[in-house]
Coordinates of all heavy atoms in Angstrom, one line a residue:
V16 N 106.6 188.9 191.1 CA 107.3 188.2 190.0 C 107.6 186.7 190.4 O 108.1 186.5 191.5 CB 108.6 188.9 189.7 CG1 109.4 188.2 188.6 CG2 108.3 190.3 189.2
S17 N 107.2 185.8 189.6 CA 107.4 184.4 189.9 C 108.9 184.1 190.0 O 109.7 184.5 189.1 CB 106.8 183.5 188.8 OG 107.2 182.1 189.0
R18 N 109.3 183.3 191.0 CA 110.7 182.8 191.1 C 111.0 181.9 190.0 O 112.2 181.8 189.6 CB 110.9 182.1 192.5 CG 112.2 181.4 192.6 CD 112.6 181.3 194.0 NE 113.9 180.7 194.2 CZ 115.1 181.2 193.7 NH1 115.1 182.4 193.1 NH2 116.2 180.6 193.9
A19 N 110.1 181.3 189.3 CA 110.3 180.3 188.3 C 110.4 180.9 186.9 O 110.3 180.2 185.9 CB 109.2 179.3 188.3
L20 N 110.6 182.2 186.8 CA 110.9 182.8 185.5 C 112.3 182.7 185.1 O 113.2 182.4 186.0 CB 110.5 184.3 185.5 CG 109.0 184.7 185.6 CD1 108.9 186.2 185.6 CD2 108.2 184.1 184.5
D21 N 112.6 182.9 183.8 CA 114.0 182.9 183.4 C 114.8 183.9 184.3 O 114.3 185.0 184.5 CB 114.1 183.4 181.9 CG 115.5 183.5 181.4 OD1 116.2 184.4 181.8 OD2 115.9 182.6 180.6
P22 N 115.9 183.4 184.8 CA 116.6 184.3 185.8 C 117.0 185.7 185.3 O 116.9 186.6 186.1 CB 117.9 183.5 186.1 CG 117.5 182.1 185.8 CD 116.6 182.1 184.7
K23 N 117.3 185.8 184.1 CA 117.7 187.2 183.6 C 116.4 188.1 183.6 O 116.5 189.2 184.0 CB 118.3 187.1 182.2 CG 119.6 186.5 182.1 CD 120.2 186.3 180.7 CE 121.5 185.6 180.8 NZ 121.9 185.2 179.5
L24 N 115.3 187.6 183.1 CA 114.1 188.3 183.0 C 113.6 188.6 184.4 O 113.2 189.8 184.7 CB 113.0 187.6 182.2 CG 111.7 188.3 182.1 CD1 111.8 189.7 181.5 CD2 110.7 187.4 181.3
R25 N 113.7 187.6 185.3 CA 113.3 187.8 186.7 C 114.1 188.9 187.3 O 113.5 189.8 188.0 CB 113.4 186.5 187.5 CG 112.9 186.6 188.9 CD 113.1 185.2 189.6 NE 114.5 185.0 189.9 CZ 115.1 183.8 189.8 NH1 114.5 182.8 189.5 NH2 116.4 183.7 190.1
G26 N 115.4 188.9 187.1 CA 116.3 190.0 187.7 C 115.9 191.3 187.2 O 115.9 192.3 187.9
Q27 N 115.6 191.4 185.9 CA 115.2 192.7 185.3 C 113.9 193.2 185.9 O 113.8 194.4 186.2 CB 115.1 192.6 183.8 CG 116.4 192.4 183.1 CD 116.2 192.1 181.6 OE1 115.1 191.9 181.1 NE2 117.3 192.2 180.9
L28 N 113.0 192.3 186.1 CA 111.7 192.7 186.7 C 111.8 193.1 188.1 O 111.2 194.0 188.6 CB 110.6 191.6 186.5 CG 110.2 191.4 185.0 CD1 109.3 190.1 184.9 CD2 109.4 192.6 184.5
L29 N 112.6 192.3 188.9 CA 112.8 192.6 190.3 C 113.6 193.9 190.5 O 113.5 194.5 191.6 CB 113.5 191.5 191.0 CG 112.7 190.2 191.1 CD1 113.5 189.0 191.7 CD2 111.4 190.4 192.0
A30 N 114.3 194.4 189.5 CA 115.0 195.7 189.6 C 114.1 196.9 189.6 O 114.5 198.0 189.9 CB 116.1 195.8 188.5
R31 N 112.9 196.6 189.1 CA 111.9 197.7 189.0 C 111.3 198.0 190.4 O 111.1 197.1 191.2 CB 110.7 197.2 188.1 CG 111.1 197.0 186.7 CD 111.5 198.2 186.0 NE 111.9 198.0 184.7 CZ 111.6 198.8 183.6 NH1 110.9 199.9 183.8 NH2 112.1 198.5 182.5
L32 N 111.0 199.3 190.6 CA 110.5 199.7 191.9 C 109.1 199.1 192.1 O 108.3 199.0 191.2 CB 110.3 201.2 191.9 CG 109.9 201.9 193.2 CD1 111.0 201.6 194.2 CD2 109.8 203.4 193.0
G33 N 108.8 198.6 193.3 CA 107.6 198.0 193.6 C 107.4 196.5 193.2 O 106.3 196.0 193.1
S34 N 108.6 195.9 192.9 CA 108.5 194.5 192.5 C 109.0 193.6 193.6 O 109.9 194.0 194.4 CB 109.4 194.2 191.3 OG 109.0 195.0 190.2
W35 N 108.5 192.4 193.7 CA 108.9 191.4 194.7 C 108.7 190.0 194.1 O 108.0 189.8 193.2 CB 108.2 191.6 196.0 CG 106.7 191.6 196.0 CD1 105.9 192.6 195.5 CD2 105.9 190.5 196.4 NE1 104.6 192.2 195.6 CE2 104.5 190.9 196.1 CE3 106.1 189.3 196.9 CZ2 103.4 190.1 196.4 CZ3 105.0 188.5 197.2 CH2 103.7 188.9 197.0
E36 N 109.4 189.0 194.8 CA 109.4 187.7 194.2 C 108.4 186.8 194.9 O 108.4 186.7 196.2 CB 110.9 187.1 194.4 CG 111.1 185.8 193.8 CD 112.5 185.3 193.8 OE1 112.9 184.7 194.9 OE2 113.3 185.6 192.9
L37 N 107.7 186.0 194.1 CA 106.8 185.0 194.6 C 107.6 183.6 194.7 O 108.3 183.3 193.8 CB 105.6 184.8 193.7 CG 104.6 186.0 193.7 CD1 103.7 185.8 192.5 CD2 103.9 186.1 195.0
P38 N 107.4 182.8 195.7 CA 108.0 181.5 195.8 C 107.4 180.5 194.8 O 106.3 180.8 194.3 CB 107.8 181.1 197.3 CG 106.5 181.8 197.6 CD 106.5 183.1 196.9
C39 N 108.1 179.4 194.6 CA 107.5 178.4 193.8 C 107.8 177.0 194.5 O 108.8 176.9 195.2 CB 108.0 178.3 192.4 SG 109.7 178.0 192.2
V40 N 106.9 176.1 194.4 CA 107.0 174.8 195.0 C 106.8 173.8 193.8 O 105.8 173.8 193.1 CB 105.9 174.5 196.1 CG1 106.0 173.1 196.6 CG2 106.0 175.5 197.2
R41 N 107.8 172.9 193.7 CA 107.9 171.9 192.6 C 107.6 172.6 191.2 O 106.9 172.1 190.4 CB 106.9 170.8 192.8 CG 107.3 170.0 194.1 CD 106.5 168.7 194.2 NE 106.6 167.8 193.1 CZ 107.6 166.9 192.9 NH1 108.6 166.9 193.7 NH2 107.6 166.1 191.8
G42 N 108.2 173.8 191.1 CA 108.1 174.5 189.8 C 106.9 175.4 189.6 O 106.9 176.1 188.7
R43 N 105.9 175.3 190.5 CA 104.7 176.0 190.4 C 104.7 177.3 191.3 O 105.0 177.1 192.5 CB 103.5 175.2 190.7 CG 102.2 175.9 190.3 CD 101.0 175.0 190.5 NE 101.1 173.7 189.8 CZ 100.8 173.5 188.5 NH1 100.5 174.5 187.7 NH2 100.9 172.3 188.0
T44 N 104.3 178.4 190.8 CA 104.3 179.6 191.5 C 103.2 179.6 192.6 O 102.1 179.2 192.3 CB 104.2 180.8 190.6 OG1 105.2 180.8 189.6 CG2 104.2 182.2 191.3

Side-chain angles (χ1 to χ4, degrees):
V16 179
S17 170
R18 173 152 181 67
L20 290 180
D21 178 285
K23 290 176 187 169
L24 178 58
R25 183 180 73 216
Q27 292 171 347
L28 290 170
L29 289 174
R31 298 289 178 144
L32 189 62
S34 297
W35 55 285
E36 186 175 87
L37 291 167
C39 66
V40 175
R41 296 191 56 80
R43 187 174 309 278
T44 304

